[in-house]
Every structure is written in structure tokens, then in C-alpha cells.
Amino acid sequence: MTQSFESVAPATGEVLGRFPRSGAADVDRAVERAKTAYEEWRLVPAPERGAVLFRFAELLRTHKDELTDLMTREMGKVKAEAGGDVQEAIDMSYYMGGEGRRLFGHTTPSELRDKFMMSVRMPVGVVGAITPWNFPIAIPSWKLAPALVCGNTVVLKPAEDTPLLADRFVELLAEAGVPDGVVNVVHGFGEEAGDALVRHPDVPVITFTGSRETGIAVTKAAADHLKHVHLELGGKNAIVVMDDADVDLAVEGIVWSAFGTSGQRCTAASRVIVHDAVYGELQTKLVAAAERLRLGPGWEDETDVGPLINRAALEKVHSYTAIGKDEGAKLLTGGEAAENGGGFYYKPTVFADAEPGMRIAQEEIFGPTTALIPVRSFDEAVAAANSVRYGLSSSIYTRDVNRAFRAMRDLETGITYINAGTTGAEVHLPFGGTKETGNGHREAGQAALDVFTEWKSIYVDYSGRLQRAQIDNAERPAPR
Ligand code: NAD
């Protein structure tokens, strides 16, 4: 009998459903279906593939409330954020749908007469997509919409914490007109189904979003087949607040970036680097704002902060409170779980007087915990911001345009915000990070197409004779 696992509501501990715990044999079957479907799907004109994505976007709009509600239950984020998650998938599907009528290549003149040259994007084949639970509708759309419009087929291994949402996502794709076999789901655990997908010889592309540690394991497992591996990994994002900042605006941005989605965003602001001149004022205002936040189930209108995803996450986040105290940082507020109907709640937590090298200022906590780091200058702030292994998002609050431009240049992250928090990406710019947040690829925008296509350069010689590049034209005089 197939083994199974449960999806559990983080706000209550209630079991929402049981799902097959797939293994290598299930992955083999899914890849085989995707391989067969590829031979037809790659030949469907790209505008038609795009039209399917338009219909998908329309269906997501129709089902937005249902998906939002389900997300508050299965993943736990609050209603407004869950709606934003679905909206991101809507936006991405429209955007990539439009790509069906672009997918631009290049033409360029040849050095020889009567010869034509162009480059075109070709699909790669079966894409293995492995996704986390924190954006359970948005992230599958970042991967599947570009993969599909480019003519690939997909095997999706969604996170084991959000299988219900993944199923609804794929059902709506089928309803939109994605043919059988073009998108296939394997549920199950990372080390089983996920690893089998990464190692499968007939899956030439792996697109993975998750933790840095899993990203390293995925890269190693994919190496034997020299696969294309696209990684979107963790972050240790900083908000810099300068002495000339609008402190009230900065506090709003910090609260949204540090405690939104209970800190479970790759772009969460888990460090706040603050100029000495406003350090006292910011501490007081931030603590007051954090203590005003109401914890509760995501589906209740008055909730500001929902639960963490599961018990293991709660324990991990709490362990960082002990680590921060041991390191000598000062706990200003929070630092403990909050009892609330069997859910995995953790109080918004603020540490002060952290030093850039402390573990709470270096490691991804993935919970509602942020650390204030005092600095005396802009240069010190930038050095502290850059002192981590990750490079996803950064932000600076300042009214000085020169400082803002220096920050845009010097902060070593894939995304930088000026006078806004570290979170708030839109679908038509590249999304991703530098350093150990990834491996140089980007999701979203035009950049995403590079993950899901191979360039093919095509030369058409219509001279009717042998023409040798670099040889037959080598002796031509240089223009004067
Ligand atoms: P995770 O790495 O534990 O799991 C992610 C996915 O990988 C899951 O589907 C899991 O089953 C699978 N997996 C686990 N081990 C595997 C293996 N050995 N082989 C193949 N697949 C495996 O991450 P998570 O806890 O689900 O998500 C949180 C992490 O994701 C955080 O580090 C966060 O920063 C990161 N994240 C990054 C981005 C981004 O775009 N940069 C976005 C969201 C989340």
C-alpha cells in the first residue's frame, strides 16, 4: 500500500487531508508522462500556450477567494497576504501569457553576403520544479508559467506542508486547457520524491526554491547529469535606517518586512541596521508597534500575524531566542511562543544591541525575529549589511539622494528598496539574489526565460556556394 502523509493546519493542528508519499517509482511514471507530452506541447504555437496561461489567470481570479481562504488554513498566512500570494500568480500568468507573443530572439547581420543569422529560444524538455510552502501559489506560478509558455512540460514536487494548495493549482491549470501529461505532480518528502526528481536522467532542468542547505544538496545530486539548476535560496535581509530617515515610515516598513508572513519570507528583514542618532527613537517605536500586533488564525479579519508553519519551525525560531541571549544581545520584546488554540504561534521578537557577526545577525531564522544593529555611519551600515553569506534583498531609509544612490550601488543584493521595506517584488522585474542566495539565475521578468530555454543560433546561407566565415572575408581592407 502507498504510504501517505498529512497536511496539518498550522493555526489549529487540524488535519486537512492525506496525500501519497511518493517515491522514485512514482517520479519515474510522472517523468515518463511529461516526456511523452513534451513531444506535442513543444510544437503547440507559443501564442496558443500563452492563451492557456491567460485562461489560467482568469480562473485564478474567479477562484481567488477560495484559494485565499484555503491558504489561510493550510499555510497560515493572514488573509490580505494570502490574497496577495494568489494575486502574484494571477499577475505572473498574465505576464507569461503575453510572452507567448514575444519570446524574442535576435537577428544580426552576417559578415558574409547572402547569409542570414538569428538566435531563437528553444524549450529544454521536462522541467523538475521543487517548491517551498511559504508562497504556495505564487512560487509554483513563477516556475510553471514561464516553463510552460516556453514549451516545456513539468513535474512539480510541492512542499509537503502545502499539498492541498498545490493540487488546486494544478487542477485549475488543467481546467484552463493544459493538456494531460504537460503538468504532473508528485507529492512527498524532499529526500524521497524530491531527490528522485533531481537525479532523474530525463529531467534536464531543475528549478528549486528553498533553503540554502537543500540547494547545495540539489546541486550535488544534479551534477552527475550536468543539469541546468536554478536556485532561489535563503536570505538575511537588512533594512538600513539612516540619521535623516523618516523614522515612523521606517518602523512601518520594518513591521511589515520582519513580522509579515510571521517572518517566513525569503525577503524577511531579520536585521535592522540603525544609525546611532535615531537608535533610541526607533527602538521605542518598533517595540510599541510589535506589541500592538495581534496573533491569531489567518482567516480572522483582526489577525495581524498568523502561526508558524509547524512545530519544528516553532522550535527552531525559539532556539534563536536562546542563541541571541547567550550571545549578549538584548531581548526587547517577544522571545516566546504564544498559546492560541493549538496553533504554532510565536510572538514578534526584537533584539537590540546585536553585533553584525552574531549568529542571530548572520543566520536565516525564518520567523518573526529581528535584530537591531547600531552603527555610526553610512559606510559602517553598508559594511554590516554586506557581512552575510546571503544576498537577496536590502533596503535603506534616507532622505539624502546621494546616499540612496550609493546604497543602490554598494548593497550586495539582487533587490534593493529605497524608503520601503525588504519585501514587495513585482512580477515583471527579475527576482533573486547574489552570493549564496542562488547560483546567478533569476526568476520572474524576462530573466526567467533564460532558465527555461536554450539559445539556438541559426545560420541560413542563400548564396548557393560555399562561404567560409573568418576565411573568405579575412583579407578585406579595414574601413578608413
Ligand atoms: P526546504 O529547502 O526545506 O524545502 C524546499 C523544497 O525542497 C520542499 O519541497 C522540500 O520537500 C524539498 N526538498 C527537501 N530536501 C530535498 C532534497 N534533498 N532534494 C530535493 N528536494 C528536497 O525549504 P522550505 O522550508 O520549504 O522553505 C523555506 C526556505 O525557502 C527558506 O530558506 C527561504 O528563504 C527559502 N525561500 C527562498 C525564496 C527565494 O525566492 N529566494 C522564496 C521562498 C523561500
Side-chain angles (χ1 to χ4, degrees):
M1 203 182 83
T2 317
Q3 289 186 304
S4 62
F5 66 97
E6 292 172 343
S7 171
V8 173
T12 57
E14 178 198 353
V15 175
L16 298 174
R18 295 195 74 80
F19 295 85
R21 181 174 158 183
S22 303
D26 305 289
V27 170
D28 283 349
R29 279 192 289 277
V31 172
E32 199 48 49
R33 279 197 300 275
K35 241 178 93 176
T36 306
Y38 175 66
E39 289 312 322
E40 175 50 29
W41 183 246
R42 75 187 178 90
L43 301 178
V44 172
E48 265 183 54
R49 296 194 298 250
V52 172
L53 290 176
F54 274 113
R55 285 199 293 278
F56 180 55
E58 294 289 310
L59 282 170
L60 286 172
R61 281 180 55 193
T62 316
H63 291 269
K64 184 173 175 183
D65 287 350
E66 171 217 324
L67 291 166
T68 299
D69 184 61
L70 182 58
M71 199 181 303
T72 62
R73 282 164 210 283
E74 192 180 40
M75 184 274 160
K77 62 176 79 173
V78 301
K79 222 188 267 183
E81 293 177 28
D85 194 310
V86 179
Q87 187 60 44
E88 206 162 311
I90 295 170
D91 297 344
M92 182 60 85
S93 303
Y94 280 132
Y95 179 78
M96 286 297 168
E99 207 48 55
R101 288 191 185 269
R102 288 186 295 268
L103 283 179
F104 296 136
H106 305 279
T107 61
T108 187
S110 166
E111 63 188 42
L112 294 164
R113 285 176 191 236
D114 299 331
K115 190 176 169 192
F116 179 83
M117 300 172 27
M118 62 186 163
S119 61
V120 294
R121 289 185 181 276
M122 304 295 282
V124 195
V126 178
V127 170
I130 301 177
T131 53
W133 44 265
N134 66 335
F135 283 85
I137 293 289
I139 291 182
S141 82
W142 296 359
K143 299 187 181 311
L144 269 62
L148 293 175
V149 81
C150 291
N152 305 282
T153 56
V154 179
V155 176
L156 169 66
K157 208 304 277 169
E160 45 270 50
D161 286 289
T162 49
L164 252 179
L165 285 158
D167 274 356
R168 284 300 291 135
F169 183 86
V170 171
E171 281 161 17
L172 291 175
L173 273 171
E175 205 177 319
V178 171
D180 271 0
V182 169
V183 174
N184 308 271
V185 187
V186 282
H187 287 297
F189 298 154
E191 304 74 26
E192 299 169 2
D195 185 64
L197 184 58
V198 172
R199 290 179 193 276
H200 201 292
D202 293 333
V203 179
V205 185
I206 297 294
T207 172
F208 170 84
T209 300
S211 65
R212 170 187 170 275
E213 291 64 31
T214 313
I216 291 170
V218 164
T219 305
K220 288 181 181 166
D224 282 343
H225 291 285
L226 293 169
K227 298 187 180 205
H228 300 193
V229 179
H230 159 232
L231 302 174
E232 297 291 344
L233 310 177
K236 189 67 190 174
N237 314 292
I239 292 179
V240 174
V241 184
M242 292 308 300
D243 47 354
D244 62 345
D246 176 337
V247 173
D248 292 314
L249 184 67
V251 167
E252 276 190 77
I254 297 163
V255 168
W256 169 237
S257 303
F259 307 130
T261 319
S262 310
Q264 303 171 113
R265 293 183 186 129
C266 51
T267 54
S270 54
R271 299 183 294 154
V272 183
I273 298 168
V274 192
H275 194 282
D276 264 346
V278 290
Y279 191 61
E281 179 189 356
L282 185 125
Q283 270 188 54
T284 311
K285 289 181 168 168
L286 180 60
V287 168
E291 290 177 352
R292 274 196 299 274
L293 295 172
R294 288 155 306 187
L295 272 64
W299 58 85
E300 285 180 5
D301 285 332
E302 55 278 14
T303 299
D304 297 309
V305 179
L308 295 172
I309 187 71
N310 53 34
R311 180 160 307 284
L314 188 69
E315 283 163 10
K316 178 184 168 200
V317 170
H318 191 51
S319 76
Y320 275 97
T321 296
I323 290 168
K325 284 183 189 162
D326 285 351
E327 287 178 312
K330 189 168 145 204
L331 181 65
L332 294 182
T333 186
E336 58 184 2
E339 279 316 309
N340 193 330
F344 310 119
Y345 295 94
Y346 203 76
K347 289 189 180 165
T349 299
V350 181
F351 275 104
D353 303 348
E355 284 167 18
M358 287 179 176
R359 285 184 62 193
I360 54 162
Q362 288 286 325
E363 297 172 16
E364 187 179 45
I365 299 173
F366 227 53
T369 300
T370 198
L372 307 185
I373 303 170
V375 290
R376 284 166 306 238
S377 69
F378 174 81
D379 288 344
E380 206 187 320
V382 170
N386 290 342
S387 72
V388 294
R389 61 175 15 152
Y390 297 105
L392 185 51
S393 183
S394 58
S395 129
I396 183 166
Y397 282 85
T398 179
R399 288 158 161 142
D400 179 337
V401 69
N402 297 347
R403 269 184 184 159
F405 270 85
R406 284 192 191 108
M408 289 182 233
R409 183 191 61 195
D410 294 340
L411 290 169
E412 296 167 350
T413 50
I415 305 166
T416 293
Y417 294 87
I418 308 297
N419 291 324
T422 48
T423 194
E426 300 182 29
V427 301
H428 42 304
L429 277 187
F431 182 91
T434 61
K435 301 199 278 190
E436 295 185 27
T437 288
N439 57 354
H441 294 288
R442 290 292 184 270
E443 207 140 45
Q446 295 287 297
L449 303 177
D450 293 333
V451 173
F452 300 106
T453 52
E454 292 267 22
W455 283 112
K456 176 177 269 192
S457 298
I458 298 174
Y459 300 91
V460 181
D461 191 320
Y462 55 97
S463 70
R465 60 183 188 280
L466 173 67
Q467 297 202 89
R468 299 172 304 173
Q470 295 93 36
I471 297 173
D472 292 342
N473 57 346
E475 296 311 317
R476 284 201 192 114
R480 286 173 214 229

